[in-house]
Amino acid sequence: DARVTQTPRHKVTEMGQEVTMRCQPILGHNTVFWYRQTMMQGLELLAYFRNRAPLDDSGMPKDRFSAEMPDATLATLKIQPSEPRDSAVYFCASGLDTSNEQFFGPGTRLTVL
Amino acid sequence: GENVEQHPSTLSVQEGDSAVIKCTYSDSASNYFPWYKQELGKRPQLIIDIRSNVGEKKDQRIAVTLNKTAKHFSLHITETQPEDSAVYFCAASSSASKIIFGSGTRLSIRP
């Protein structure tokens, strides 16, 4: 049963520290999405990639967030420096550009103290 | 860009009754409307979707309706059961990939 995987599942860090979250999309999928979920904002789209190329990162604070796909099996979301307001669950999802369906990973719960 | 509004934000129904969640969208080019269910502490999972060339779709106790003219779509759950308790998200997409989500509805089923 192919699934999107994310690491770490939980991360607690102090304000100012760098945080890197990783995602392994389902093998063969060529679209990858990063979402942030908070109680107040629901599911916000931060960035998405097609065939490893970033297509839209307008939802991402550019000064501290960066998203990359070093290869087709790995997507990363980095926050530097982290702030308490970044505390949230970060979901990665993958899919095919020929289909609208997205498959979500289990999420990374980030707490910034 | 696309904006999706979802109502209500919370909904409590008696077990066995029906639940209805409504969404509106702004981009007339949107042609794909999925619904995701998220149980507490879990990932969102697709439960049903509808495309703009269809007005209604059913899957057992779940149905979705779409009114393209009014730009709104709804999720109907009949004969609700305790395991239906979750947060439900509607979404809309006008491209092959990008999906915009509504703010979610927390559904509680009272025994």
Side-chain angles (χ1 to χ4, degrees), chain B residues 71-86:
Chain B
K71 288 192 273 188
H72 65 67
F73 55 113
S74 302
L75 176 73
H76 304 250
I77 306 174
T78 58
E79 301 171 19
T80 53
Q81 300 170 4
E83 54 264 35
D84 296 329
S85 294

Side-chain angles (χ1 to χ4, degrees), chain B residues 58-72:
Chain B
K58 280 187 179 181
D59 183 3
Q60 299 182 344
R61 297 186 297 106
I62 294 173
V64 290
T65 59
L66 172 64
N67 182 327
K68 286 191 299 181
T69 303
K71 288 192 273 188
H72 65 67

Side-chain angles (χ1 to χ4, degrees), chain A residues 18-21 60 64-68 76-80:
Chain A
E18 178 179 300
V19 175
T20 299
M21 291 170 271
M60 206 164 64
R64 298 183 300 108
F65 285 59
S66 61
E68 294 179 347
T76 62
L77 179 66
K78 190 176 293 186
I79 307 175
Q80 167 63 23

Side-chain angles (χ1 to χ4, degrees), chain A residues 13-46:
Chain A
T13 191
E14 292 188 346
M15 183 173 63
Q17 296 297 305
E18 178 179 300
V19 175
T20 299
M21 291 170 271
R22 294 178 174 79
C23 167
Q24 183 172 16
I26 292 173
L27 190 64
H29 282 186
N30 64 344
T31 58
V32 173
F33 306 82
W34 283 104
Y35 293 93
R36 176 169 61 185
Q37 186 173 40
T38 62
M39 291 294 291
M40 302 302 295
Q41 296 294 328
L43 277 164
E44 298 174 79
L45 177 65
L46 297 175

Side-chain angles (χ1 to χ4, degrees), chain A residues 49-95:
Chain A
F49 296 77
R50 182 185 300 157
N51 296 324
R52 295 178 55 202
L55 289 191
D56 186 348
D57 60 1
S58 59
M60 206 164 64
K62 300 291 191 304
D63 56 339
R64 298 183 300 108
F65 285 59
S66 61
E68 294 179 347
M69 281 202 72
D71 61 60
T73 64
L74 177 64
T76 62
L77 179 66
K78 190 176 293 186
I79 307 175
Q80 167 63 23
S82 58
E83 298 181 1
R85 60 181 167 149
D86 300 329
S87 297
V89 179
Y90 291 81
F91 285 102
C92 172
S94 73

Side-chain angles (χ1 to χ4, degrees), chain B:
Chain B
E2 176 66 279
N3 182 49
V4 178
E5 296 198 354
Q6 183 171 347
H7 301 280
S9 57
T10 60
L11 179 60
S12 177
V13 301
Q14 193 76 33
E15 183 178 349
D17 288 350
S18 295
V20 180
I21 302 171
K22 298 182 178 181
C23 291
T24 60
Y25 61 99
S26 61
D27 187 351
S28 57
S30 289
N31 56 11
Y32 175 70
F33 306 90
W35 287 86
Y36 282 78
K37 176 183 180 182
Q38 186 179 26
E39 296 177 357
L40 188 64
K42 301 286 183 64
R43 70 189 80 193
Q45 291 194 295
L46 179 71
I47 55 171
I48 194 167
D49 55 16
I50 191 168
R51 298 190 181 274
S52 58
N53 59 346
V54 174
E56 182 175 1
K57 184 177 179 180
K58 280 187 179 181
D59 183 3
Q60 299 182 344
R61 297 186 297 106
I62 294 173
V64 290
T65 59
L66 172 64
N67 182 327
K68 286 191 299 181
T69 303
K71 288 192 273 188
H72 65 67
F73 55 113
S74 302
L75 176 73
H76 304 250
I77 306 174
T78 58
E79 301 171 19
T80 53
Q81 300 170 4
E83 54 264 35
D84 296 329
S85 294
V87 178
Y88 292 80
F89 292 95
C90 65
S93 174
S94 60
S95 71
S97 302
K98 186 175 178 178
I99 289 178
I100 301 300
F101 285 85
S103 53
T105 296
R106 184 175 301 277
L107 175 62
S108 302
I109 308 301
R110 302 190 303 269

